[in-house]
Amino acid sequence: MSGAVGGLLSDLTSHGTVHQNLRSAALVEAALKRGEGTLAENGALVVRTGGKTGRSPDDKYVVRSAQTEKDVWWGNVNRPVSAQVFDALLVHAAGHLLGRERFVFDGFVGAAQAHRLPVRVISEAAWISLFARTLFLRPTEEELAGHRPAFTVVHAGALPAGGPAAGIRSDTFVGLDLDRGLVLILGTEYAGEVKKSLFSVMNYLLPRGGVLTMHCSANVGAAGDAALFFGLSGTGKTTLSADPARRLVGDDETGWSDDGIFNIEGGCYAKCINLSRASEPQIYDAIRFGSVLENVVVDPRTLVPSYGDATLTENTRATYPVEFIPGCLIPGVGPHPRNVIFLTADAFGVLPPVARLTPELAIYDDISGYTAKLAGTETGVTTPRATFSPCFGGPFLPLHPMRYAELLGAKLARHGVSTWLVNTGWTAGPYGTGRRMSIEVSRAVISAIVSGALAGARFQQDPLFRFQIHDAVPGVPAAMLSPRATWADPTVYDAKARELADLFRKNFEPYAAACTPAVRAAGPAL
């Protein structure tokens, strides 16, 4: 790191009024005193993120350098920005922050000692510091005394970045300087940008050393069997991994090394639209003092959260430390998985509630990363939209998707892992006509997978998508298992299925040359 940048970061943590590593109670008190939020009846701090209630993927940048030029997957996901533009924006942010009270969080990402990264988050908002404290790994007093951050997040979310005059697209800027260990966030107060920026950092650092990073949740059963749940936001990673019969490793970001799996974070960031204790008791009860509720409407009289109210956004969020989930694994490490589950919210309504994948089809589907992008997850998304996101986490991949897919394929083969596709989206028709899979059906599917009930079950191969559909799944109505039979007009289903299959084919074309012939042949039989 250059002396000028190092000096600037030192100024941000030493000049003026700086609060370092305050505990949750002090951060809540500061946030309330500064008018950053209110307390809900359950004790959670309720905040609003202004105009940005989801991520801004079109405003994510990576500093181009001699090293990143060779390594980074450049394009719409990782837009290049010069070091000069980044540094000018950093000076702009520092000038804003130095005149204000600041809050600093020091901690780690990566629960496995061999792969953890020391980080620092600097912000003018007390609630952002509380957010970081809930989401990342908190150090012991001894660790804190010797803390030296390898990556620093400078968060000035209330400050417009400057747009074209500053050399960038808009007033929002989420920039990663991977060489100098910096993340800079301007023009958005949506805290998910802090979380996902550090996930992107780990997605850059660890795979180059043979450790797979994954956009997935993980849990472990009583017999020591681990399961991974891949999926984009809203597909059920958090909900389905929060299982009272199993121990939670983490709800969103997981690493897989030669020693097993580990949580990259120290907390959970759950979507809470329509949350209820009846359907998601562990998550509901985890939201209490020390948690943050983002953009959740609260009854002004009773202060009770109205989880069904989407007035501000459907992307309402709750963040809480993982230890708020009973029986979670601390530290968040586990054995090699026995099952890998790809979750998809199929807006076309043509995929079954569960299907088994061959090893080649698992890689094909991992590269495809099909789901529906749900309302509110990103700015401008108001209804479910069919989308393909490589490795079920394209927006967070600094390296080419094949780097992650090849690592996954090697680990699946080495450890004899079973792979599954689970549709948590629509059945009996597409979005707008069909109905959403119930949480009860999805839980029954997951239970059947992790219990081994499907290991020797009879199945039929789908003639178009080539996956294996089981004849019977405990707890799931037999009529639901064959999607074609759930549609009023099977010929309409056939047309919609071919439409989706063709989208798979077109999406896969840019990756086909880098795949083996067996993986290429695993795709839809058009």
Side-chain angles (χ1 to χ4, degrees):
M1 186 177 298
S2 69
V5 171
L8 188 151
L9 295 179
S10 176
D11 289 347
L12 287 175
T13 56
S14 59
H15 290 184
T17 304
V18 181
H19 306 284
Q20 289 193 270
N21 301 304
L22 296 183
R23 297 186 180 275
S24 297
L27 289 169
V28 170
E29 181 181 2
L32 295 174
K33 182 178 179 181
R34 292 158 54 87
E36 294 176 3
T38 58
L39 275 188
E41 182 269 343
N42 59 12
L45 180 69
V46 183
V47 301
R48 296 189 176 185
T49 63
K52 296 293 178 73
T53 57
R55 290 182 293 103
S56 301
D58 292 340
D59 297 301
K60 178 184 173 184
Y61 298 84
V62 177
V63 173
R64 192 191 292 271
S65 68
Q67 185 63 50
T68 59
E69 178 68 34
K70 297 181 296 182
D71 290 338
V72 169
W73 178 40
W74 299 107
N76 291 335
V77 170
N78 302 294
R79 293 169 175 79
V81 67
S82 70
Q84 291 75 21
V85 167
F86 184 96
D87 286 358
L89 289 169
L90 182 61
V91 170
H92 178 51
H96 172 83
L97 292 172
L98 282 169
R100 290 164 170 77
E101 201 173 3
R102 296 180 299 288
F103 297 84
V104 177
F105 166 79
D106 288 322
F108 302 96
V109 286
Q113 285 282 336
H115 306 296
R116 72 178 191 172
L117 184 77
V119 299
R120 170 171 287 167
V121 179
I122 303 170
S123 177
E124 65 180 298
W127 83 265
I128 290 290
S129 203
L130 178 62
F131 175 91
R133 183 175 172 81
T134 63
L135 256 294
F136 305 129
L137 294 155
R138 296 173 300 284
T140 64
E141 291 298 324
E142 182 180 2
E143 290 171 334
L144 193 58
H147 192 79
R148 298 291 182 270
F151 265 81
T152 298
V153 179
V154 177
H155 180 276
L159 178 67
I168 54 176
R169 192 188 74 88
S170 76
D171 271 335
T172 299
F173 180 81
V174 180
L176 279 63
D177 189 329
L178 296 167
D179 292 338
R180 294 187 291 176
L182 288 169
V183 175
L184 177 61
I185 298 174
L186 298 165
T188 173
E189 296 179 89
Y190 178 63
E193 300 286 15
V194 177
K195 165 189 165 72
K196 291 304 187 184
S197 292
L198 287 177
F199 182 40
S200 296
V201 167
M202 294 295 270
N203 282 339
Y204 177 74
L205 296 176
L206 294 189
R208 296 188 303 162
V211 177
L212 176 61
T213 48
M214 304 166 289
H215 190 211
C216 72
S217 57
N219 63 24
V220 178
D225 59 301
L228 302 181
F229 302 78
F230 283 71
L232 291 178
S233 175
T235 56
K237 292 192 311 300
T238 298
T239 298
L240 295 174
S241 58
D243 184 337
R246 297 172 65 83
R247 303 188 69 185
L248 182 68
V249 176
D251 85 318
D252 190 52
E253 302 169 6
T254 307
W256 188 354
S257 72
D258 290 341
D259 299 319
I261 60 172
F262 60 91
N263 191 6
I264 288 176
E265 299 180 299
C268 302
Y269 193 46
K271 286 197 74 168
C272 52
I273 191 70
N274 297 321
L275 177 68
S276 70
R277 177 177 275 125
S279 62
E280 300 174 80
Q282 287 192 310
I283 294 172
Y284 190 95
D285 291 337
I287 303 171
R288 55 184 189 262
F289 188 83
S291 304
V292 178
L293 286 174
E294 273 188 336
N295 299 312
V296 172
V297 175
V298 174
D299 185 289
R301 182 177 60 85
T302 65
L303 301 181
V304 173
S306 301
Y307 291 120
D309 192 329
T311 301
L312 298 176
T313 178
E314 288 195 27
N315 191 37
T316 53
R317 293 280 180 168
T319 178
Y320 47 86
V322 70
E323 59 263 30
F324 283 13
I325 297 290
C328 67
L329 282 173
I330 301 293
V333 298
H336 297 292
R338 184 176 299 171
N339 292 286
V340 164
I341 298 161
F342 296 154
L343 301 171
T344 179
D346 174 30
F348 281 65
V350 302
L351 299 182
V354 59
R356 187 167 186 149
L357 307 178
T358 65
E360 296 77 18
L361 187 50
I363 300 306
Y364 187 98
D365 280 3
D366 182 50
I367 283 293
S368 300
Y370 167 66
T371 191
K373 195 173 289 181
L374 299 185
T377 302
E378 292 181 3
T379 300
V381 178
T382 57
T383 60
R385 179 194 306 164
T387 189
F388 293 88
S389 185
C391 307
F392 295 91
F396 325 121
L397 304 183
L399 308 177
H400 192 281
M402 288 306 302
R403 297 279 292 273
Y404 307 93
E406 289 169 356
L407 270 175
L408 176 64
K411 290 181 181 296
L412 293 177
R414 184 179 308 133
H415 301 289
V417 182
S418 297
T419 54
W420 310 83
L421 180 69
V422 172
N423 177 20
T424 61
W426 282 261
T427 184
Y431 171 78
T433 301
R435 62 183 183 274
R436 188 80 190 260
M437 295 281 183
S438 71
I439 185 64
E440 291 77 17
V441 164
S442 295
R443 288 197 188 281
V445 165
I446 298 302
S447 178
I449 291 172
V450 299
S451 70
L454 300 183
R458 294 173 54 190
F459 61 83
Q460 299 178 10
Q461 185 178 57
D462 184 271
L464 179 58
F465 290 100
R466 304 184 196 267
F467 43 55
Q468 300 164 358
I469 300 177
H470 288 80
D471 294 342
V473 177
V476 179
M480 294 184 66
L481 296 175
S482 177
R484 190 174 189 269
T486 66
W487 284 51
D489 186 341
T491 62
V492 177
Y493 167 87
D494 291 340
K496 185 62 70 173
R498 287 192 298 270
E499 181 184 346
L500 178 59
D502 191 52
L503 290 176
F504 267 89
R505 179 187 61 80
K506 291 177 180 176
N507 173 76
F508 192 74
E509 286 176 354
Y511 310 103
C515 294
T516 66
V519 170
R520 291 197 294 270
L526 286 168

